């Protein structure tokens, strides 16, 4: 087994445990990787989305562009016509499903009758008998969003960021607001940075560093601006 396969197996096992504890989960955790040649010298950040020819009438992509546009606006980006734009923004996205198997404990108590609790029953409700384990399989999903920014005039790539998270959510639409917010968190990141962004699930609670509030995962609406636009860097 090579290193990539071993790493993938460990990651899927971790995801399975996360799915098991999803009832207690209050954050969406996303891994972000950025490559940057951002100069920080631009006074205005005008941009336009760019697509491949076979994506011109893609309604799904249009929905994701609106979500990303909301996040770009938080960093002083302004969408304009392509001919007037300094930057071109291109999106890549996807979802992949896997099945992971986890050994779960099953307890058996052969003694009928009520459980009186301590100190009457020192072994607890399951008695002194050890647990047996049964394999349970769970679906897990990997959600991915890539944002690539190039200079329109030169074609030079100046920023390329990827956001990836895992979980039991089978809809990329519901995961996209969290991916977009995470991908552009702390923009612009330094070249080669890998970090983790935790976003509170739902609308309650305050936001700490690298933590922002978005609509609940069950909703597909684009997130509202949480802070004022940042000054260009």
């Amino acid at each position: 087994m090579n290193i990539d396969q071993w790493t993938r197996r460990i990651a899927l096992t971790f995801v399975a445990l996360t799915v098991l504890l999803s009832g207690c989960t209050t954050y969406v955790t996303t891994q972000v990787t950025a490559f940057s040649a951002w100069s920080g010298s631009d006074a205005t950040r005008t941009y336009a989305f760019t697509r491949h020819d076979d994506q011109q009438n893609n309604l799904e992509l249009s929905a994701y562009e609106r979500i990303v546009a909301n996040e770009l606006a938080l960093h002083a980006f302004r969408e304009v016509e392509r001919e007037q734009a300094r930057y071109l923004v291109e999106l890549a996205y996807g979802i992949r499903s896997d099945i992971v198997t986890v050994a779960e404990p099953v307890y058996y108590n052969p003694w009928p009758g009520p459980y009186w609790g301590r100190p009457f029953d020192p072994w607890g409700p399951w008695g002194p008998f050890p647990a047996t384990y049964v394999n349970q399989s769970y679906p897990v999903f990997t959600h991915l969003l890539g944002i690539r920014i190039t200079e329109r005039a030169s074609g030079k790539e100046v920023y390329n960021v990827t956001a990836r998270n895992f979980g039991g959510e089978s809809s990329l639409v519901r995961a996209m607001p969290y991916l977009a917010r995470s991908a552009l968190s702390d923009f612009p990141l330094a070249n080669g940075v890998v970090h983790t962004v935790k976003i509170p699930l739902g609308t309650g609670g305050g936001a700490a560093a690298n933590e922002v509030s978005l609509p609940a995962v069950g909703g597909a609406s684009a997130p509202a601006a949480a802070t004022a636009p940042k000054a260009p860097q």
Side-chain angles (χ1 to χ4, degrees):
M1 179 181 297
N2 61 38
I3 294 177
D4 289 340
Q5 291 175 324
W6 179 251
T7 302
R8 175 178 169 79
R9 177 169 295 184
I10 293 174
L12 289 177
T13 301
F14 174 78
V15 170
L17 295 175
T18 302
V19 171
L20 291 177
L21 297 174
S22 60
C24 301
T25 300
T26 57
Y27 291 89
V28 176
T29 302
T30 302
Q31 184 186 69
V32 177
T33 305
F35 297 95
S36 176
W38 197 266
S39 65
S41 61
D42 55 327
T44 58
R45 296 175 175 178
T46 56
Y47 77 97
F49 286 106
T50 184
R51 301 181 177 188
H52 297 291
D53 291 339
D54 59 352
Q55 297 176 318
Q56 295 305 314
N57 298 312
N58 190 319
L59 294 178
E60 180 182 14
L61 178 54
S62 296
Y64 298 157
E65 287 176 346
R66 292 307 95 210
I67 294 174
V68 172
N70 286 346
E71 298 304 320
L72 287 170
L74 298 178
H75 302 282
F77 280 89
R78 182 168 60 90
E79 189 173 5
V80 297
E81 296 296 327
R82 182 186 179 98
E83 294 74 16
Q84 302 170 350
R86 177 171 182 179
Y87 300 107
L88 297 179
V89 177
E90 182 178 0
L91 305 186
Y93 54 89
I95 184 171
R96 183 179 66 196
S97 63
D98 289 286
I99 298 294
V100 295
T101 301
V102 178
E104 295 185 341
V106 176
Y107 296 94
Y108 170 66
N109 184 0
W111 297 342
Y115 166 56
W116 297 104
R118 298 179 186 276
F120 305 103
D121 185 352
W123 291 300
W126 297 289
F129 303 98
T132 58
Y133 288 83
V134 176
N135 288 334
Q136 297 286 351
S137 295
Y138 298 89
V140 294
F141 300 89
T142 303
H143 315 104
L144 177 71
L145 171 65
I147 302 175
R148 181 173 183 258
I149 303 178
T150 59
E151 292 180 342
R152 181 181 64 83
S154 66
K156 176 186 176 182
E157 181 178 88
V158 293
Y159 202 70
N160 194 329
V161 62
T162 302
R164 178 185 289 103
N165 60 35
F166 309 89
E169 175 57 68
S170 61
S171 170
L172 183 59
V173 174
R174 292 175 180 173
M176 188 57 65
Y178 297 89
L179 291 170
R181 179 64 59 89
S182 299
L184 293 169
S185 174
D186 297 325
F187 176 90
L189 294 171
N191 188 48
V193 166
V194 179
H195 75 156
T196 299
V197 179
K198 292 170 60 179
I199 298 177
L201 184 65
T203 58
N210 285 338
E211 297 180 1
V212 289
S213 296
L214 288 178
V217 173
S221 59
T227 60
K230 294 168 58 178
Q233 298 181 32

